[in-house]
Amino acid sequence: MKKTKIIFLILFLGFFYPFHSFSEIIKQKKTTDENSNFNVFLDYSSGINFTVRKEIPEETRFSENYLNLEVKGRVNDKISYHFTKKFLKKREMENYDMLDLAYLKYKWNDKLYFLFGKQPFSFGSMEYANAYSSYEHAYRYPRVFKKNRNDNNYYVGFSFIYHPIKDHELQFQVVNEMKTEDGNMSQDINYPMGYSLNWNWNMNPNDDYHYHHHHNHNHDNDDKIIKNRWSYSIFQDNEKKKYWKLLALGSQLNLNPVTIEADYILSDEDREKNRDITNLLRRLWNRDYYDVPSVKYGSYLVKLKYNFLPKWNLIAKGVYERGISKKRMNNNILEENKWFQQIYTYYGGIEFLPIIKNEDISFFISYKNYRVNYSSDLFKKENKNDHFLILGLNYRVKMI
């Protein structure tokens, strides 16, 4: 444990040395409250995974799905910090994405804040708000926020955060989106910029809203609360006059013991972001094909959580996504304003929290059915009807 503490102190000092001295940090880390000046947390999710693809069972295996090391706290009354090293299991792969988060938050006054550093996109929706919690891993829909295969959702930039009235937050964010590697294609803009406007608000006068609930595990104990996370974002692509536009609208209704979340997300892409259809065209039609389709994805998500016993939650979730081609391409393989892909995803699960009013540990069993249908005859052999079953464990530990 001493070695772990020393490692975290070195990492912390290396990043924040200009703002605070070593002796002051040692004094501040004596407190143990989560809102104190120095805190270190470990989030972990693992499970036993059963998979069936094309009606053929695959091998059962143990897996580590999520590991997150987090340092956060306050330097003084004006400056707070957040540093994270996150390891996420890559979909259908044995290795991990390592994602970093490192930003400072400066309090100008009680209503205005500034955020500087490597930070997540300021997207709306409840789906994205839950994306930073290991507790939502089994029910996360990975295709919601389209991004390039080698990208992550953390970029360098700054944000203005303004609280005009209680329980309302406006955020304007400017970030530098990373360069995209895409074969031999030329790139006009190596480091395009992205802009997001976010409005977060709720209707419970007794609930204080805080920016970036990265570990907002559950709020089922809140009484009769409505939460909304809405945003509009626009990002310059690597090619001039090409953009990625994203509208994300999400709301949560809590009628204890039932919580309902609903999201609508529209991703308008002048050049397909995640390159799934692009890679299908290269693999099935022409391996020398380097153009990128212009597409639009609409996603609808509904999630229900029912606390049917004090320590038990029942979870059900459904997602419908449709991809539409914005223009005709490749001898009508993609037709203008016609759908080319429909995805249906169904989730169901039971969660057990052994300690009431403490969600730092949970056991769960979850089921997922993932169906993909293509309209083009060329793609139809890629249709999917996969089943996933996970027996898992989530926990969050305060290390310091």
Side-chain angles (χ1 to χ4, degrees):
M1 181 61 73
K2 290 183 179 179
K3 184 182 294 185
T4 302
K5 292 182 180 180
I6 293 172
I7 291 173
F8 271 101
L9 283 173
I10 293 173
L11 290 172
F12 174 77
L13 288 170
F15 188 80
F16 295 109
Y17 175 78
F19 299 94
H20 216 52
S21 70
F22 180 82
S23 60
E24 289 172 319
I25 291 172
I26 294 298
K27 292 177 183 178
Q28 292 175 351
K29 70 183 282 293
K30 292 179 181 179
T31 60
T32 58
D33 184 75
E34 186 168 342
N35 295 319
S36 65
N37 293 350
F38 187 81
N39 301 276
V40 178
F41 298 93
L42 170 68
D43 291 281
Y44 182 73
S45 175
S46 66
I48 307 174
N49 295 265
F50 308 88
T51 304
V52 177
R53 300 182 192 275
K54 296 182 178 180
E55 300 182 356
I56 301 175
E58 296 186 354
E59 62 181 9
T60 300
R61 59 187 176 87
F62 290 92
S63 69
E64 296 175 337
N65 301 314
Y66 182 104
L67 176 64
N68 183 60
L69 298 174
E70 179 183 27
V71 179
K72 64 179 182 179
R74 291 183 293 109
V75 176
N76 52 42
D77 291 339
K78 291 288 187 180
I79 299 174
S80 59
Y81 56 84
H82 195 145
F83 177 83
T84 297
K85 173 69 75 171
K86 182 178 295 185
F87 303 85
L88 288 175
K89 190 80 172 191
K90 287 187 178 181
R91 186 173 55 179
E92 301 180 0
M93 299 181 70
E94 294 300 324
N95 54 343
Y96 291 81
D97 279 325
M98 291 186 293
L99 312 180
D100 293 317
L101 176 70
Y103 64 78
L104 294 176
K105 186 178 180 181
Y106 179 77
K107 178 182 178 181
W108 182 267
N109 54 43
D110 288 339
K111 290 190 174 184
L112 184 61
Y113 298 79
F114 301 98
L115 200 69
F116 307 92
K118 199 171 186 181
Q119 56 191 278
F121 285 153
S122 180
F123 288 145
S125 81
M126 302 310 299
E127 184 74 12
Y128 193 72
N130 294 330
Y132 297 95
S133 170
S134 62
Y135 290 77
E136 297 291 334
H137 176 84
Y139 308 100
R140 188 177 305 148
Y141 185 61
R143 290 180 47 86
V144 165
F145 296 96
K146 307 296 183 297
K147 54 190 175 64
N148 290 301
R149 211 170 280 272
N150 296 323
D151 285 353
N152 60 60
N153 285 337
Y154 298 153
Y155 296 100
V156 177
F158 64 89
S159 298
F160 299 94
I161 306 163
Y162 179 59
H163 297 265
I165 58 176
K166 182 177 175 63
D167 296 320
H168 288 255
E169 174 185 278
L170 297 174
Q171 178 181 352
F172 177 67
Q173 182 186 62
V174 180
V175 293
N176 185 50
E177 192 174 1
M178 296 295 116
K179 180 178 179 180
T180 301
E181 300 294 340
D182 196 9
N184 298 323
M185 295 185 64
S186 61
Q187 298 183 13
D188 299 325
I189 303 173
N190 288 332
Y191 297 97
M193 302 297 292
Y195 308 88
S196 292
L197 181 62
N198 190 284
W199 180 21
N200 301 316
W201 61 283
N202 68 68
M203 297 182 65
N204 186 343
N206 297 319
D207 182 42
D208 293 326
Y209 184 86
H210 300 282
Y211 172 70
H212 279 315
H213 288 276
H214 294 299
H215 290 282
N216 183 12
H217 308 320
N218 267 314
H219 286 274
D220 291 2
N221 293 325
D222 295 343
D223 186 26
K224 295 184 180 180
I225 187 171
I226 296 176
K227 292 185 178 181
N228 300 282
R229 287 179 169 86
W230 302 344
S231 72
Y232 181 77
S233 307
I234 183 168
F235 298 87
Q236 171 69 57
D237 207 296
N238 294 106
E239 185 178 320
K240 290 181 179 179
K241 298 182 179 180
K242 301 291 185 180
Y243 299 93
W244 174 32
K245 290 163 282 189
L246 187 78
L247 174 68
L249 305 174
S251 297
Q252 181 190 86
L253 175 63
N254 189 340
L255 301 172
N256 196 23
V258 175
T259 302
I260 301 172
E261 295 179 1
D263 294 316
Y264 170 69
I265 299 168
L266 177 64
S267 182
D268 188 339
E269 307 161 20
D270 289 342
R271 298 170 76 239
E272 185 197 17
K273 284 293 292 180
N274 61 7
R275 302 295 195 264
D276 285 351
I277 300 301
T278 306
N279 290 329
L280 279 179
L281 287 169
R282 292 172 183 173
R283 180 162 56 88
L284 302 176
W285 182 59
N286 184 350
R287 64 181 182 180
D288 296 322
Y289 172 78
Y290 285 109
D291 197 5
V292 179
S294 178
V295 297
K296 186 184 296 185
Y297 291 96
S299 302
Y300 303 83
L301 303 91
V302 177
K303 178 184 174 183
L304 182 145
K305 179 181 287 188
Y306 175 39
N307 184 214
F308 63 96
L309 289 174
K311 296 183 179 182
W312 294 85
N313 292 320
L314 178 67
I315 299 172
K317 180 176 177 179
V319 184
Y320 170 69
E321 177 182 317
R322 185 170 69 165
I324 297 174
S325 177
K326 294 169 63 176
K327 61 182 180 180
R328 178 181 176 275
M329 293 186 68
N330 312 311
N331 298 321
N332 282 338
I333 294 176
L334 298 177
E335 300 182 59
E336 184 175 1
N337 294 325
K338 299 290 185 180
W339 74 271
F340 60 85
Q341 181 188 64
Q342 293 188 104
I343 299 177
Y344 304 85
T345 311
Y346 307 97
Y347 300 80
I350 296 178
E351 181 182 51
F352 173 61
L353 288 73
I355 305 174
I356 298 179
K357 295 183 179 180
N358 185 340
E359 297 170 344
D360 287 345
I361 183 170
S362 70
F363 300 90
F364 67 91
I365 177 171
S366 71
Y367 165 76
K368 173 183 173 181
N369 179 212
Y370 179 67
R371 301 182 182 184
V372 182
N373 296 318
Y374 294 98
S375 61
S376 170
D377 291 336
L378 178 66
F379 295 156
K380 281 187 176 180
K381 61 183 178 181
E382 300 294 322
N383 286 355
K384 295 181 180 179
N385 185 10
D386 298 338
H387 304 265
F388 305 88
L389 183 66
I390 303 176
L391 300 175
L393 163 69
N394 297 315
Y395 64 79
R396 175 174 171 85
V397 176
K398 183 175 174 62
M399 302 175 65
I400 297 178

